[in-house]
Amino acid sequence: MNPNSPILGIDLGTTNSLVGVVDSGFPILLADENGSRSTPSAVCIAQDGSISVGAVALRQRALHPTRTITSVKRLIGRRPGEAGWTPPYSLSELKTSPVEVSAEILKHLKAVAEHALEQSVSQAVITVPAYFNDAQRNATKRAGELAGLEVLRILSEPTAAALAYGLDKLSEHQKIAVYDLGGGTFDISVLEMHDGTFQVLSTAGDTQLGGDDIDRLLAEFIAQKLNLPPHDIRVLEASEAVKKRLSTDDTASFNGLDITRADLEKIARPWIERTRIHCLRALSDAGVKAEQLDEVILVGGSTRMPLVRDYVREIFGREPNTSQNPDEAIALGATIQAGILGGSLRQVLLLDVTPLSLGIETFGGLMNIIIPRNTTIPAKAGEMFTNAVANQDSMLIRILQGERELAKDNWELGRIEVPFPSGPKGSARVGVQFSIDADGILHVLARDTATHQDTTLQISGTAVDVEDERVEQMISESVDFAFEDMNERIWTEAKLKAEELLPAVDAALDQLADAISAEEKSAVVSQAATVRVLLAATDHDAKALKAATQLLDEATQSLAVMLIDRAMEESLVRRGLV
């Protein structure tokens, strides 16, 4: 990481998006040139292909409704038709995709930050709903990369909200509910502070329920009263302003029509009531009773409505925590996490992704990665390995963590030894599986596929609980030594290939001494000698060794064919078929 470049915290929202940064030890949200910290998550693609983002794009919606893209978060990482929502635009006709649209929003936020900070930025933490699957998380990460950002972490929104409310400072085993009613979606998550980590116990919600739906219903109410077209964009925009006004006032007006808070609550009540079943389901899934919660926090602009707060109070039987701006809590939490990663704020462990790669040492002292860094957890992955030498009767598996190419430069987390019947090289088959559970515990299972005997190891905490300074040091070293490490890896791989081939060539020459010409034998011996000279050289010329080994392999192709033919002939003789 570049210590001179701040890391951005980004809330990529369905309706609005925000960006922040830690400055002088304080997380702040950045405003655009118009003084607005909130950017509408809208993109307009004009007929000539020009693109506008944010408030400028949203103003185009009345004139170009099929060219103005909103709520794209409902589509990202999903197949066509999978979102259960049909937008008023066609991305295929506009020749774009949810990832590309999201990238335009992120580019805009990046530009806002660079203008405010007066320097370039290239790294970010981006939030996603807790229910986002791998495809949606990866699509969000690709959007960030397309926008020119290195996405250091994909952070769950309820975890970000908990950070913003300072709930990481609670004592152990505290349970928290995050009630998030945004513009396009509703989410309810139950979290627990346990062993210094946030763990999401359960999550539920409705991807088709949000403040936008209430705006639409209020717009229909206003349009009917004033005898206006029900889908008039101006009425829709006015209804949003009226809804916001009624969060603090008892009455608001539009075109001479007075709308009361009672009118709004009558319209909104059936929709708000729909959140109840999700809250009860989340509590049930988490195995938590409402009275066992230590905090209930509100996130999302729609939670400003007094009706929503009344419902939350009733469902959870306690006063919700409203100490933070609900529109900005997730962005603030993302910014805090960005500050933690950048070293400008103290560490809080968040179980969202693996901070460093996990793998094992393979023959030749190389690091073989099984779970790459920034993999969302829980996660599971594995590979099959074999014995590298003949008569080997066990395999020592060293579990490693780090980003370097050579095993010796990474950290050893533990080791297990897997016994198996001795035999020729390559005869044993040992499957190694890594799995990290939601508690951040790494489980390593090694299985001899012949005997089905399992050997297991459990590593608590270390797999994800790594000081940010150590993570930064490891990543920094992996960059600093990238060329040396890669050259050493290429050399080691070329060396192993050569050392494997040379004995095979010698054995073939012995067996076929009477079957090949002196000229052919001389050519093979000469090429083998070249490989041996390069192997013994101190300058470790990997490229030359690799090329020489390839030439030796090609020179002995005819020997390999002859050996196969001879083996087949001997087999036929033994079976009495010749």
Side-chain angles (χ1 to χ4, degrees):
M1 297 179 194
N2 182 356
N4 299 318
S5 177
I7 302 170
L8 302 181
I10 295 177
D11 172 10
L12 184 61
T14 307
T15 309
N16 293 291
S17 297
L18 301 93
V19 60
V21 72
V22 171
D23 185 18
S24 303
F26 294 95
I28 59 168
L29 300 183
L30 302 172
D32 60 20
E33 54 192 12
N34 298 316
S36 177
R37 291 196 295 268
S38 179
T39 295
S41 301
V43 172
C44 183
I45 302 177
Q47 190 76 41
D48 62 1
S50 60
I51 294 174
S52 55
V53 180
V56 176
L58 207 55
R59 287 196 291 269
Q60 302 295 314
R61 186 167 58 174
L63 294 174
H64 306 292
T66 61
R67 290 191 162 273
T68 305
I69 304 164
T70 57
S71 299
V72 76
K73 186 173 178 177
R74 288 180 169 181
L75 305 174
I76 196 166
R78 292 179 178 269
R79 298 185 184 91
E82 191 180 56
W85 168 69
T86 304
Y89 48 81
S90 169
L91 293 182
S92 59
E93 289 181 10
L94 293 174
K95 298 180 180 177
T96 189
S97 68
V99 169
E100 291 170 322
V101 172
S102 300
E104 292 298 334
I105 298 169
L106 291 168
K107 281 180 192 176
H108 179 83
L109 295 174
K110 180 175 182 284
V112 167
E114 290 178 334
H115 181 267
L117 299 171
E118 297 183 339
Q119 67 177 109
S120 62
V121 291
S122 60
Q123 298 172 319
V125 171
I126 303 177
T127 61
V128 296
Y131 64 78
F132 259 26
N133 59 30
D134 285 344
Q136 292 168 299
R137 289 169 183 262
N138 287 332
T140 302
K141 187 177 181 183
R142 287 201 307 275
E145 292 165 350
L146 198 59
L149 292 167
E150 180 189 0
V151 182
L152 300 180
R153 185 158 296 183
I154 295 292
L155 180 66
S156 291
E157 288 169 3
T159 305
L163 272 180
Y165 276 82
L167 300 183
D168 54 295
K169 300 175 182 66
L170 290 174
S171 59
E172 290 298 293
H173 304 292
Q174 300 287 293
K175 295 181 176 65
I176 306 145
V178 180
Y179 182 103
D180 182 355
L181 185 60
T185 59
F186 167 68
D187 305 302
I188 173 70
S189 299
V190 179
L191 287 73
E192 182 179 25
M193 188 72 175
H194 179 66
D195 291 337
T197 70
F198 278 123
Q199 179 184 343
V200 178
L201 299 179
S202 67
T203 186
D206 189 335
T207 59
Q208 309 303 318
L209 171 62
D212 294 349
D213 299 302
I214 297 171
D215 294 345
R216 178 177 52 80
L217 292 169
L218 183 57
E220 291 173 0
F221 171 82
I222 293 171
Q224 184 180 20
K225 291 287 187 182
L226 296 177
N227 197 26
L228 294 171
H231 302 298
D232 191 311
I233 293 295
R234 290 166 298 179
V235 177
L236 185 63
E237 291 174 349
S239 71
E240 183 182 0
V242 167
K243 180 189 70 174
K244 290 179 178 178
R245 175 67 63 86
L246 291 174
S247 289
T248 54
D249 299 343
D250 293 328
T251 307
S253 299
F254 172 67
N255 275 16
L257 174 67
D258 287 338
I259 303 110
T260 66
R261 183 182 294 174
D263 292 328
L264 173 62
E265 292 185 348
K266 183 178 179 181
I267 292 167
R269 192 176 302 276
W271 284 78
I272 304 304
E273 177 63 27
R274 284 171 53 182
T275 68
R276 181 189 299 271
I277 188 65
H278 299 295
C279 293
L280 298 178
R281 182 182 297 121
L283 287 172
S284 175
D285 290 347
V288 175
K289 294 180 180 178
E291 57 267 26
Q292 293 176 310
L293 293 172
D294 297 283
E295 289 280 0
V296 176
I297 63 176
L298 300 182
V299 180
S302 297
T303 62
R304 293 180 183 276
M305 293 176 63
L307 178 65
V308 172
R309 297 188 176 189
D310 288 343
Y311 262 96
V312 172
R313 195 177 296 111
E314 178 191 341
I315 294 168
F316 295 102
R318 62 180 303 120
E319 196 67 32
N321 185 334
T322 58
S323 61
Q324 291 292 331
N325 182 334
D327 296 294
E328 299 179 347
I330 290 174
L332 189 64
T335 301
I336 291 169
Q337 172 60 13
I340 293 166
L341 289 178
S344 52
L345 291 175
R346 73 174 183 81
Q347 180 195 11
V348 177
L349 176 63
L350 301 170
L351 298 184
D352 287 307
V353 294
T354 53
L356 292 169
S357 299
L358 297 163
I360 70 169
E361 179 180 10
T362 55
F363 192 63
L366 299 177
M367 165 73 156
N368 186 90
I369 293 175
I370 292 180
I371 296 182
R373 80 181 181 99
N374 285 336
T375 297
T376 302
I377 62 173
K380 183 182 291 186
E383 285 188 31
M384 191 71 70
F385 298 92
T386 188
N387 56 317
V389 296
N391 301 317
Q392 190 177 336
D393 60 3
S394 67
M395 182 183 296
L396 178 64
I397 298 174
R398 292 180 64 222
I399 294 93
L400 305 172
Q401 181 175 40
E403 302 303 316
R404 303 289 297 275
E405 296 290 337
L406 303 183
K408 67 181 179 65
D409 296 323
N410 294 301
W411 307 327
E412 180 177 322
L413 301 183
R415 54 176 64 192
I416 52 179
E417 189 158 357
V418 183
F420 47 75
S422 63
K425 174 185 173 183
S427 61
R429 292 285 186 275
V430 175
V432 178
Q433 177 182 277
F434 281 19
S435 64
I436 307 176
D437 63 21
D439 293 316
I441 297 172
L442 172 64
H443 302 266
V444 180
L445 181 147
R447 173 176 296 168
D448 177 9
T449 59
T451 63
H452 298 288
Q453 182 178 346
D454 289 350
T455 309
T456 60
L457 178 67
Q458 178 176 300
I459 301 171
S460 300
T462 313
V464 292
D465 191 1
V466 187
E467 292 288 335
D468 286 304
E469 292 77 8
R470 297 190 74 200
V471 173
E472 290 176 33
Q473 179 186 357
M474 173 59 74
I475 294 172
S476 176
E477 287 176 357
S478 73
V479 173
D480 293 342
F481 296 101
F483 288 106
E484 293 93 329
D485 283 2
M486 187 53 67
N487 286 338
E488 191 63 24
R489 184 180 192 100
I490 294 171
W491 164 259
T492 301
E493 290 173 344
K495 177 174 175 283
L496 291 173
K497 172 73 175 175
E499 290 176 341
E500 180 182 18
L501 184 60
L502 285 170
V505 169
D506 291 341
L509 288 174
D510 288 343
Q511 291 182 50
L512 300 170
D514 58 343
I516 58 173
S517 66
E519 183 178 346
E520 189 175 5
K521 181 178 180 180
S522 175
V524 171
V525 169
S526 174
Q527 189 60 41
T530 300
V531 171
R532 286 189 170 91
V533 168
L534 290 168
L535 266 177
T538 57
D539 60 352
H540 287 189
D541 190 340
K543 186 176 180 181
L545 177 60
K546 194 173 180 180
T549 303
Q550 180 65 30
L551 288 174
L552 178 59
D553 192 33
E554 291 171 358
T556 56
Q557 286 299 311
S558 60
L559 300 186
V561 172
M562 292 172 68
L563 284 173
I564 292 171
D565 289 343
R566 180 171 291 189
M568 290 181 65
E569 185 177 339
E570 288 173 355
S571 175
L572 292 172
V573 169
R574 283 196 305 271
R575 292 159 60 190
L577 299 176
V578 176

